Amino acid sequence: MKKLYLISLGPGDPELITLKALKAFQKSEAICIPTKSKEKSFEKSTAYKIVKEILKEFDLQKTLYPIYVPMKFNPKDWEREAQEILECFEKHDTVSFVTLGDAAIYSTVYYILDFIKEKNPSIYENSEVIPGITSFSLASAKIKKPLCLGDSSLEIAPFYGTSKKTKVYMRGERGACTSHIKENGKIYTFERLTSKDEKIYPKKVDSIKHYMTLLIDFIF
Ligand SMILES: C[S@@+](CC[C@H](N)C(=O)[O-])C[C@H]1O[C@@H](n2cnc3c(N)ncnc32)[C@H](O)[C@@H]1O
């Protein structure tokens, strides 16, 4: 069965990849690496520098494919990038595409995945996104300052600003009612992630059953 990994690389230090990312590299036959170079050189690719270090440290031999990912957003590029990744499956069964930081934060991963879903639903179904450490988690750790504590919240926005917001709700007390939470996009409830009792509901639960619960109001 063909398998695609979308691997988050963390903010730049190869030591900040996850164990899961490392295992996905070990399982991958080929790794697709974004580069800003039209000529598909790895010279301008930060992602390549991280991957190169990891492959060297863990003595892994992989086929590397440069994928030209320009700075400007253009659906035609995402479609081409998806196509180039899919073409790797003509030669390999397990392929990775890497992204900086975490895949959920302003990454091309989900644009590309939309096209992969359209062009090859079975590879989409068998794909796995591996989360990673964000640039702002590292920034906070560097200066030992928290991003949110107590009743404060965290906002992540592009420099030019926006009114569109994905909202994450956390730290609900057991038994707390969720009726005050207005749904703007589509709320999912995540309970006890990674435990044997993990539950993911495609809705807002009426009340919080466990402290380890997240509600995310996705605008996408
Ligand atoms: C396209 S976004 C990708 C964000 C990434 N997926 C993450 O989880 O942090 C790129 C922006 O992230 C920030 N960024 C990413 N890596 C960084 C680093 N090593 N140092 C400072 N800022 C960084 C910068 O604001 C940059 O413009």
Side-chain angles (χ1 to χ4, degrees):
M1 175 122 57
K2 307 274 186 198
K3 173 95 185 183
L4 172 64
Y5 289 107
L6 293 313
I7 304 181
S8 304
L9 290 175
D13 178 346
E15 294 203 351
L16 290 176
I17 68 155
T18 62
L19 194 50
K20 208 167 179 101
L22 175 60
K23 287 184 178 175
F25 280 132
Q26 287 168 330
K27 286 182 237 166
S28 298
E29 292 162 26
I31 306 171
C32 297
I33 305 178
T35 173
K36 289 191 185 72
S37 150
K38 246 187 183 162
E39 293 72 41
K40 296 194 164 185
S41 127
F42 281 130
E43 221 168 276
K44 293 180 188 163
S45 172
T46 309
Y48 172 71
K49 289 188 193 118
I50 304 170
V51 173
K52 192 176 75 174
E53 287 289 313
I54 293 159
L55 298 184
K56 191 173 148 208
E57 180 154 358
F58 293 93
D59 200 19
L60 303 173
Q61 313 286 329
K62 306 290 166 184
T63 309
L64 306 184
Y65 292 98
I67 306 280
Y68 172 50
V69 178
M71 288 290 277
K72 285 246 161 78
F73 283 1
N74 182 342
K76 283 219 162 71
D77 283 310
W78 302 328
E79 184 170 15
R80 173 189 47 76
E81 291 154 24
Q83 190 56 42
E84 288 179 18
I85 294 168
L86 288 174
E87 279 164 16
C88 293
F89 285 98
E90 290 166 16
K91 291 193 189 148
H92 309 281
D93 287 333
T94 308
V95 174
S96 297
F97 175 76
V98 297
T99 190
L100 294 174
D102 177 50
I105 307 289
Y106 302 122
S107 161
T108 45
V109 157
Y110 287 97
Y111 296 123
I112 292 174
L113 263 184
D114 279 347
F115 282 106
I116 287 179
K117 187 178 187 179
E118 193 183 299
K119 288 170 185 288
N120 194 322
S122 82
I123 287 183
Y124 173 81
E125 287 307 324
N126 206 31
S127 67
E128 183 178 345
V129 177
I130 298 183
I133 294 175
T134 65
S135 49
F136 47 86
S137 295
L138 174 61
S140 144
K142 287 258 179 198
I143 58 162
K144 300 190 190 96
K145 270 191 183 290
L147 293 170
C148 34
L149 280 179
D151 63 357
S152 65
S153 69
L154 164 70
E155 184 161 341
I156 305 156
F159 275 111
Y160 48 81
T162 181
S163 57
K164 293 179 278 180
K165 252 184 219 174
T166 290
K167 250 181 145 173
V168 180
Y169 297 89
M170 44 204 311
R171 296 184 61 236
E173 281 176 26
R174 268 173 86 162
C177 174
T178 62
S179 60
H180 65 289
I181 293 174
K182 299 271 169 293
E183 187 163 14
N184 288 315
K186 169 81 191 141
I187 294 185
Y188 281 69
T189 302
F190 301 85
E191 275 177 11
R192 296 175 158 183
L193 288 176
T194 76
S195 79
K196 64 177 180 14
D197 303 313
E198 171 180 304
K199 298 248 165 38
I200 300 177
Y201 305 101
K203 62 168 190 174
K204 178 179 76 166
V205 291
D206 296 333
S207 69
I208 303 296
K209 285 197 207 75
H210 309 282
Y211 178 67
M212 290 301 181
T213 297
L214 287 167
L215 262 63
I216 306 186
D217 192 352
F218 291 93
I219 53 165
F220 304 103

